[in-house]
Amino acid sequence: MPTIAWPALPPYGAWAATCDTLHAHTQVLGKLAVALAPPEPQLQHAALRLTARGWETLPLPAPNRSGAVLAGLDLHAHEAFVEHSDGRAGRVALRPNRAVGEVTRELLDVASSLGGAVEIDATPQEVWWSSPLDQDEEHATYDSEAVSAYFAAATRAALVLAAFRAPYRGRCTPVNAWWGSFDLAVNLFSGSPADPPSPDFIMRNAMDAQEVAVGWWPGDARYGRAAYYAYAHPAPAGFEGATLTPPAARWQPELGEYLLDDEGSSADALAFARSAFQHACAVCGWDPALPASAAGEPPPVS
């Protein structure tokens, strides 16, 4: 990727209320995907995508079998929307002082009017709050300038992750937008199974294969600034002992991940992703052909 520096996303604390509201809105999209998409390994059916206009589901089977519906957040127009494959669409404005609960109820009404009655489990996941999404009056802060800054940073990160995964010859995910942890990530698999780290629903379904994950998130209450991260599952003893590229990359013991603060350099971010993956493959004993392919040296096509 070209060496281009971009302005960094402000620290989480500077836009925390808006960040949490936006995060809650993405959870509604994810719940629609869970309710309608055919289940896939590692919960891939629940993942969203970052597109040129915001967060979106893939096309989902309409409950009334009339075609497909797609739900998303247009972060340019600042609207939530649902579109039907026949061309019909409905939109719900995202604006200051409009609670997540109100937006959720309206968006579900739009989805039902376009594709048939749909119900979701409105319980939020992997977050510190507990109000059901369709009753959430707590999250109503929406600063459009902060959202635009986030979307620009997320787009740049998604391009880095896409460039990193592109040459890999093993099984891997696309650049997923995860609505539980509000991050972007690619997961690269060795082809071997693994024991999940815990028996809860997400862990036993999402982490039943040997993998390395590389991603980006905008910061949260635990770590207050945007950063790239990398981890391996399962991680053997000594995984945390590497010196990665660039020098600013470091092990974060509280999170159990390698981190590189996002300071706007695509070159540094791509170097971090490749360095972390090479280290993980070496200590986890992966087939050497796999990390070689991720480094841009795929095996020849015979």
Side-chain angles (χ1 to χ4, degrees), residues 5-107:
W6 293 290
L9 182 67
Y12 169 75
W15 72 296
T18 290
C19 183
D20 291 348
T21 298
L22 183 62
H23 187 176
H25 288 321
T26 69
Q27 297 232 334
V28 181
L29 307 183
K31 296 289 188 171
L32 284 168
V34 169
L36 299 178
E40 297 182 31
Q42 283 83 49
L43 302 178
Q44 288 298 299
H45 64 289
L48 305 176
R49 301 288 185 270
L50 195 77
T51 71
R53 60 178 169 175
W55 284 59
E56 296 183 10
T57 69
L58 294 175
L60 305 170
N64 63 7
R65 302 185 179 182
S66 60
V69 292
L70 181 149
L73 301 176
D74 186 330
L75 301 184
H76 296 300
H78 301 290
E79 295 174 326
F81 65 87
V82 181
E83 298 173 345
H84 193 281
S85 54
D86 64 11
R88 293 177 296 139
R91 291 179 169 265
V92 180
L94 305 176
R95 57 176 181 259
N97 303 316
R98 191 164 204 200
V100 165
E102 180 183 356
V103 172
T104 299
R105 294 189 297 270
E106 289 194 24
L107 192 66

Side-chain angles (χ1 to χ4, degrees), residues 111-202:
S112 295
S113 70
L114 294 177
V118 58
E119 295 184 1
I120 65 169
D121 175 0
T123 306
Q125 291 182 226
E126 300 180 67
V127 293
W128 57 264
W129 62 87
S130 58
S131 297
L133 295 164
D134 57 354
Q135 301 173 32
D136 186 345
E137 302 299 318
E138 177 181 3
H139 295 99
T141 302
Y142 192 90
D143 180 337
S144 61
E145 291 187 2
V147 170
S148 295
Y150 156 78
F151 186 40
T155 298
R156 296 189 292 264
L159 293 174
V160 168
L161 296 174
F164 162 64
R165 69 170 290 280
Y168 186 63
R169 286 298 188 99
R171 184 170 76 88
C172 64
T173 69
V175 180
N176 286 325
W178 288 110
W179 47 274
S181 45
F182 199 49
D183 61 340
L184 308 175
V186 293
N187 300 73
L188 283 62
F189 300 95
S190 71
S192 298
D195 293 328
S198 72
D200 72 82
F201 177 84
I202 293 177

